[in-house]
């Protein structure tokens, strides 16, 4: 079941099911985003900020930083409302894989699938394993990663869904 969500809602670990998935809203990456990210991080690698140098590379022009693409994906999932207010902490990011370049003008969306829902060592928490597939406007997968997050569980007597 894939759905598009847009409203932040009260959710807990108990509201997630393996196999559940959503598609986030899209966001167009602009050259200004790349420049701002370079300024924020200090990563002024010419492939990202110098069109003349970047044209001479195998990419044929400027591309977004991989960490910028990842960061935008995290933000898109947060803004989608899918996680609601369930997340307490990020535990792990694993297997980030950049598969295709993201260029100025590309619009990215995140396909998120719940892979696992495991109770944590403390009964008030659970861990969620989520697969992120970041795709461009042509539905080409540009990046993948797995996120493991700590989520709060529903308290005894708390009604389902809030």
């Amino acid at each position: 079941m894939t759905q598009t969500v847009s409203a932040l809602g009260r959710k807990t670990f108990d509201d997630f099911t393996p196999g559940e998935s959503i598609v986030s809203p899209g966001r167009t990456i602009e050259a200004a985003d790349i420049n701002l990210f370079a300024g924020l991080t200090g990563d002024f690698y010419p492939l990202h900020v110098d069109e003349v140098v970047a044209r001479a590379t195998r990419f044929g022009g400027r591309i977004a930083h991989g960490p910028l693409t990842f960061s935008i994906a995290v933000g898109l999932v947060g803004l989608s409302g899918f996680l609601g207010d369930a997340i307490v902490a990020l535990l792990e990011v694993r297997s980030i894989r950049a598969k295709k370049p993201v260029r100025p003008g590309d619009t990215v969306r995140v396909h998120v699938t719940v892979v696992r829902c495991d109770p944590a060592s403390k009964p008030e928490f659970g861990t969620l394993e989520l697969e992120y597939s970041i795709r461009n406007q042509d539905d080409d997968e540009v990046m993948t990663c797995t996120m493991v997050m700590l989520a709060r569980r529903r308290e005894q007597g708390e009604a389902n869904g809030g």
Side-chain angles (χ1 to χ4, degrees), residues 1 20 28 96 125 150:
M1 168 178 80
E20 177 182 7
T28 301
I96 293 177
F125 301 110
L150 187 67

Side-chain angles (χ1 to χ4, degrees), residues 54-162:
R55 262 193 239 131
T57 70
R58 68 187 196 128
F59 299 107
R62 291 176 66 185
I63 64 171
H65 304 72
L68 172 60
T69 301
F70 170 77
S71 297
I72 287 174
V74 169
L76 286 171
V77 173
L79 289 173
S80 76
F82 178 63
L83 301 173
D85 61 352
I87 304 305
V88 175
L90 171 65
L91 297 176
E92 182 180 357
V93 179
R94 50 174 107 118
S95 65
I96 293 177
R97 184 167 182 222
K99 299 178 82 175
K100 289 192 172 190
V102 174
R103 302 175 185 284
D106 282 353
T107 299
V108 295
R109 285 180 175 70
V110 186
H111 296 243
V112 182
T113 301
V114 178
V115 176
R116 294 176 58 118
C117 302
D118 295 322
S121 57
K122 294 184 177 181
E124 64 267 27
F125 301 110
T127 59
L128 298 173
E129 183 176 320
L130 307 171
E131 291 289 334
Y132 283 30
S133 171
I134 300 101
R135 301 182 193 180
N136 67 16
Q137 66 279 353
D138 299 321
D139 206 36
D140 293 333
E141 192 170 60
V142 298
M143 181 175 280
T144 59
C145 69
T146 301
M147 305 283 282
V148 181
M149 299 184 196
L150 187 67
R152 68 179 179 82
R153 295 199 74 170
R154 191 172 291 117
E155 294 179 21
Q156 287 287 340
E158 187 178 348
N160 285 350

Side-chain angles (χ1 to χ4, degrees), residues 1-5 11 20-24 82:
M1 168 178 80
T2 300
Q3 56 182 313
T4 301
V5 288
K11 288 179 92 170
E20 177 182 7
S21 65
I22 63 105
V23 178
S24 77
F82 178 63

